[in-house]
Amino acid sequence: MEKPKHSRLVSCDEAVTVLQEGGIVGMPTETVYGLAGRIDNAPSIERIFTTKGRPSFDPLIVHVESLSMGKTIAEFGLISETLAAHFWPGPLTMVLPKLKNVSDQITSGLQAVGVRIPNHPVALDLIHRVGVPLAAPSANKFGKTSPSEAQHVLHEFSQDDVPVVDGGPCAVGIESTVLLVNDKSSELVVLRPGYITETALSEFLHEQKIPHHFHKVTNKVLAPGQMKHHYMPAVPLIILERNYISENDLENEINQILRAAPDFVEGVKIIKPAHRVERIANLRLPDDPVLAARALYGSLRNLAESGADAILFVKNEVHQGELWESILERLTKAATGVVR
Ligand code: TXA
Ligand code: MG
C-alpha cells in the first residue's frame, strides 16, 4: 500500500509502529505537542530537525517514562533525584550530564542532556511501548507558535508527512521549565521559565533541607536555544505597554514599529506585513495565569487565522507573578515590537 504523503491523525498503535520503524510522530504532552523520535535512531533525529527547520545548534529534550529510564541517559545526583521524585511526571526539564548513549546530534554537541517525564497518558504509553526514550521538541516550525492541540500540529505540518496522535488540548499550555542542575556544586539556573516556578523549586528544596543556589547568569554556550524571538504567529503581534493612547496614535505607532522591524533576528524570520495594518485583533487572555497559559497558543493561532492584519496584546497590572512572567516571556519573544 502506498504511504499517505500528508500529516494525519493516527492511533497510538500506528504511532508505536511508526516510531519503532524510525519515523517521527506528533505526540501530546501536558505542556505542548512534541515532534517525537527515538533517541537510538540517527535518521529519525535528523528528520525532527529537518521537519521543524530547526538549526542543529539547538538541542532536543529527551522524554522518559520513569526515573530509571532517565538514569540510562543522564547522571543524577541529590538535587536532581529529589526534584524528579517530586515534580515528575510534570512540566520540568532538567539539564544533566549526559551518558554516552545520548548522541551529540541530540544535545547539539553539549555534554548535558535535557530530560523529563511528561505527565500525559499518551506520551507515557508511547515511550513505554517503544521501550526507548523519545526526543521531542515542540511540534512547530522553527521560530513559530507552539501547538497546544492536535489540529495545530496538522496545520503546522500540512506540507509534511507527520502522523499525529490526538491526546486532546494540553492542560498546561506552555512549555516546561528548563532547569540546569549542577548536583556537584548545588547550583541551579532556570534556562527557560515555565509552569514550575523558581519559587516552587526553591521552596521545595528548602523544605527538604537541601542546600542550593539559584543563578541568573547564563550564556549562549549553556543555553543555545534562547533566541530573542520565538513562538511567532503568522501575523505580527504587538504588545502595548503604555497606559493611554488614542486609537489613531496606536495604529500609527504599530505601523511605524512594523516598518522599522528587521527581517531576521538571530536567524528567526520576523513577521512583518507587506502593507499598512488596519485590522488589529485584540488577544484577550484570562486574568488567572493557569487559564491564560492554557489559552495562549490556541488564541494566538486563532487570531492569526481570523483575517486580522496584526494582533495586539495590552499588558496591564493584572499580569504579575512568576507564572505571568513565563507567559509574558513567550509573548515578548513572539512579538514583532512593543509600544511603550
Ligand atoms: O514542554 C516542553 O519542554 C516541550 C514538550 C514537547 O516536552 N518541549 C519543548 O522542546 O519545548 P523545545 O525543543 O521546543 O525546547 C527545548 C528547549 C530549547 O530552548 C533548548 O535549547 C533547551 O530546551 N535545551 C534542550 N536541551 C538542552 C541542553 N542539553 N542544554 C541546554 N538547553 C537545552
Ligand atoms: Mg519550541
Side-chain angles (χ1 to χ4, degrees):
M1 202 174 74
E2 211 180 293
K3 263 191 165 174
K5 284 275 184 301
H6 54 88
S7 296
R8 65 213 181 274
L9 292 180
V10 298
S11 65
C12 277
D13 288 349
E14 197 176 338
V16 169
T17 307
V18 170
L19 288 165
Q20 278 166 342
E21 291 172 352
I24 59 175
V25 303
M27 171 178 83
T29 83
E30 81 281 33
T31 56
V32 298
Y33 276 70
L35 190 60
R38 47 194 295 164
I39 63 159
D40 60 352
N41 186 292
S44 84
I45 302 300
E46 176 63 24
R47 261 195 72 198
I48 292 175
F49 279 96
T50 52
T51 305
K52 262 188 78 96
R54 183 181 180 115
S56 60
F57 62 75
D58 195 0
L60 305 180
I61 292 174
V62 177
H63 299 70
V64 294
E65 61 155 341
S66 60
L67 181 57
S68 61
M69 189 184 259
K71 286 182 176 175
T72 66
I73 59 161
E75 203 180 302
F76 286 72
L78 178 64
I79 293 181
S80 48
E81 272 215 56
T82 310
L83 291 177
H86 186 71
F87 290 99
W88 284 356
L92 175 68
T93 295
M94 286 193 275
V95 175
L96 301 170
K98 79 173 187 84
L99 299 182
K100 58 175 184 305
N101 56 345
V102 181
S103 66
D104 282 348
Q105 191 191 16
I106 290 167
T107 65
S108 302
L110 296 173
Q111 288 312 304
V113 60
V115 53
R116 81 179 190 101
I117 305 182
N119 189 13
H120 194 292
V122 171
L124 293 172
D125 186 48
L126 293 180
I127 303 164
H128 182 73
R129 286 163 69 189
V130 176
V132 172
L134 299 178
S138 53
N140 50 272
K141 295 280 183 184
F142 177 63
K144 300 289 190 222
T145 306
S146 309
S148 55
E149 291 178 25
Q151 288 302 327
H152 300 164
V153 186
L154 294 179
H155 185 258
E156 196 75 14
F157 298 115
S158 57
Q159 305 299 313
D160 303 279
D161 179 16
V162 178
V164 181
V165 183
D166 191 348
C170 300
V172 171
I174 59 170
E175 297 82 351
S176 63
T177 305
V178 179
L179 181 70
L180 179 67
V181 180
N182 186 331
D183 276 302
K184 296 206 168 79
S185 67
S186 306
E187 289 172 316
L188 303 167
V189 183
V190 174
L191 299 180
R192 177 177 70 186
Y195 198 74
I196 296 181
T197 61
E198 188 172 312
T199 303
L201 293 164
S202 184
E203 280 181 1
F204 173 70
L205 289 171
H206 274 301
E207 269 166 38
Q208 301 297 309
K209 303 195 169 26
I210 297 180
H212 63 279
H213 330 270
F214 274 94
H215 287 268
K216 287 273 175 248
V217 278
T218 183
N219 60 44
K220 275 267 180 255
V221 177
L222 293 176
Q226 297 308 302
M227 267 71 77
K228 213 165 161 243
H229 285 284
H230 203 143
Y231 317 112
M232 289 193 124
V235 303
L237 168 70
I238 298 288
I239 298 178
L240 175 62
E241 286 189 352
R242 202 181 300 169
N243 272 341
Y244 176 77
I245 185 164
S246 75
E247 230 165 78
N248 204 20
D249 286 351
L250 177 61
E251 196 181 302
N252 286 334
E253 289 226 18
I254 288 175
N255 278 291
Q256 255 174 34
I257 287 172
L258 294 176
R259 268 198 307 276
D263 292 330
F264 284 89
V265 174
E266 298 171 318
V268 178
K269 188 175 187 302
I270 302 305
I271 300 300
K272 292 166 65 172
H275 309 285
R276 189 180 162 83
V277 304
E278 282 164 2
R279 282 169 303 173
I280 300 167
N282 269 291
L283 169 62
R284 295 181 208 284
L285 294 173
D287 290 347
D288 179 342
V290 171
L291 302 180
R294 202 175 288 162
L296 178 67
Y297 294 135
S299 303
L300 276 176
R301 283 172 176 274
N302 288 342
L303 292 178
E305 296 293 304
S306 70
D309 302 325
I311 303 171
L312 181 72
F313 179 71
V314 183
K315 203 168 144 186
N316 67 39
E317 64 286 351
V318 174
H319 306 138
Q320 306 271 345
E322 273 171 293
L323 185 48
W324 260 113
E325 278 168 28
S326 298
I327 297 167
L328 292 172
E329 191 254 2
R330 269 66 175 182
L331 284 168
T332 305
K333 289 189 168 181
T336 298
V338 180
V339 178
R340 292 196 168 83

